[in-house]
Amino acid sequence: MATETVGDTTVPNHDETETEPTEFEKNQKRYPKTGSTWLKSLTFSIANRFRFDHLTNPLLKLNPHELIPFIEIQFPLFPHIDVLKDKGNTLFSTHMPHELLPDSVVKTGCKMVYIWRDPKDTFISLWHFFQKKRSDSGPLNGLEESFDMFCNGLSVYGPYLDHVLAYWKAHQESPDQILFLKYETLTADPLPHVKRLAEFMGYRFTAEEEKNGVVEKVVNLCSFETLKNLEANKGDKEREDHPSPYTNDTYFRKGKTGDWKNYLIPDMAARMDGLMEEKFMGTGLLENGK
């Protein structure tokens, strides 16, 4: 369950002089989709901040999914793409369950970062995603039927709760190899967690960088508003200079925590919460992020 959320209401402090909010303050509450798109943009910016400055970051022209390829998609299906030939790229992604990861990932000591989200918001995000992606292929299952399937473990990469739990257990066994993040906690206060992410990846921000606001610049660049408004992520029209399946707004819907309240009735929410309680009880996962 989500334990920390960001409210939409700000109470002004009348004892202080009101100032115009900074770009960072404007953007810090708005992040992409269910976490994977946002995490890709953050990790790419962190790892490549010495290769590219704030004005030449490839995120300004390419979707995050183009810059960090899926090992189960781009490698077997698009082996010719530039990012796979870039020896400077050390970042790859996957939605595969932990038990299906190849030995080349699990047994070589490479570091992994896993992000999870309140399953209710995860479901709503996925449901909208597939509504957009498959809208031209005929009618889709309704919300209630899709939710029932999700609760029964029918999801693209297997049962979601099992997916989360497997990576949580792997993190507990090897915390130096797997960093386990919670979307709601990350959105509530991104700066310390982005610094923690950079340190885990081996790209720790220096004192000078922190003083110069580099952390804020990374978070601001990767914000929902910044990424969604870039030409690379607008509309469904493919770019003539760089055709891509990611050049649409499917990956940038709202980025809000608690959006499930606009779609799920109380009985549906209670059902998912009960499944979480049953699946995660005694593992320490329910307390993660508190």
Side-chain angles (χ1 to χ4, degrees):
M1 294 181 290
T3 57
E4 295 184 35
T5 58
V6 178
D8 294 325
T9 303
T10 301
V11 180
N13 183 348
H14 296 291
D15 295 329
E16 298 179 359
T17 302
E18 292 188 5
T19 58
E20 183 70 19
T22 64
E23 286 302 309
F24 172 71
E25 291 170 333
K26 291 178 182 177
N27 286 330
Q28 74 176 99
K29 295 181 180 180
R30 312 183 73 171
Y31 306 99
K33 202 173 172 290
T34 191
S36 59
T37 308
W38 184 28
L39 183 60
K40 281 190 175 186
S41 62
L42 286 172
T43 53
F44 183 86
S45 294
I46 289 170
N48 291 281
R49 67 184 191 273
F50 306 113
R51 298 177 68 193
F52 312 105
D53 61 31
H54 191 61
L55 298 177
T56 60
N57 192 317
L59 276 173
L60 298 174
K61 295 182 178 181
L62 300 174
N63 185 282
H65 294 287
E66 295 176 81
L67 296 170
I68 301 183
F70 287 99
I71 61 176
E72 67 269 33
I73 299 177
Q74 277 88 344
F75 274 89
L77 301 178
F78 307 99
H80 58 282
I81 61 176
D82 292 340
V83 69
L84 295 182
K85 300 177 181 179
D86 180 8
K87 295 183 179 180
N89 175 48
T90 60
L91 302 172
F92 303 95
S93 66
T94 183
H95 281 317
M96 287 191 293
H98 187 267
E99 58 269 26
L100 294 184
L101 291 176
D103 289 345
S104 58
V105 173
V106 179
K107 297 184 178 181
T108 57
C110 70
K111 292 189 173 183
M112 291 178 273
V113 181
Y114 186 85
I115 189 167
W116 76 296
R117 188 181 188 181
D118 181 336
K120 299 186 293 295
D121 272 332
T122 297
F123 165 73
I124 292 301
S125 179
L126 288 171
W127 189 72
H128 278 285
F129 177 82
F130 287 112
Q131 287 284 332
K132 286 187 177 183
K133 294 290 283 186
R134 298 180 180 177
S135 58
D136 296 330
S137 302
L140 300 174
N141 293 328
L143 181 67
E144 292 186 6
E145 184 179 359
S146 297
F147 182 76
D148 184 64
M149 295 169 64
F150 186 77
C151 289
N152 287 325
L154 295 176
S155 189
V156 178
Y157 288 93
Y160 181 68
L161 299 185
D162 290 341
H163 197 288
V164 174
L165 185 58
Y167 277 95
W168 171 250
K169 290 181 177 179
H171 157 72
Q172 289 180 306
E173 295 174 0
S174 305
D176 294 333
Q177 185 181 359
I178 300 179
L179 178 63
F180 200 86
L181 298 175
K182 189 173 184 180
Y183 182 84
E184 288 79 6
T185 306
L186 191 57
T187 58
D189 190 14
L191 288 181
H193 296 289
V194 170
K195 289 191 286 187
R196 176 186 171 208
L197 173 61
E199 184 170 0
F200 175 81
M201 293 173 60
Y203 297 98
R204 183 176 184 176
F205 290 102
T206 65
E208 183 177 1
E209 284 182 310
E210 292 191 32
K211 180 181 178 181
N212 293 332
V214 174
V215 187
E216 287 87 345
K217 289 180 181 179
V218 167
V219 174
N220 195 46
L221 173 63
C222 300
S223 71
F224 180 89
E225 281 301 301
T226 300
L227 292 180
K228 184 172 184 177
N229 288 323
L230 294 174
E231 289 299 322
N233 304 313
K234 281 185 178 180
D236 293 319
K237 183 178 66 174
E238 292 188 346
R239 297 169 308 218
E240 294 181 0
D241 63 326
H242 197 99
S244 167
Y246 301 113
T247 52
N248 57 64
D249 62 358
T250 307
Y251 296 88
F252 301 92
R253 192 175 66 86
K254 287 187 178 181
K256 294 178 64 176
T257 59
D259 189 43
W260 62 266
K261 297 175 183 177
N262 297 314
Y263 299 90
L264 304 182
I265 62 174
D267 285 349
M268 297 168 76
R271 179 184 179 186
M272 178 56 70
D273 290 343
L275 291 173
M276 287 179 59
E277 187 78 17
E278 180 181 348
K279 178 70 68 173
F280 297 157
M281 179 64 68
T283 66
L285 183 52
L286 291 173
E287 293 74 33
N288 175 251
K290 289 185 178 180

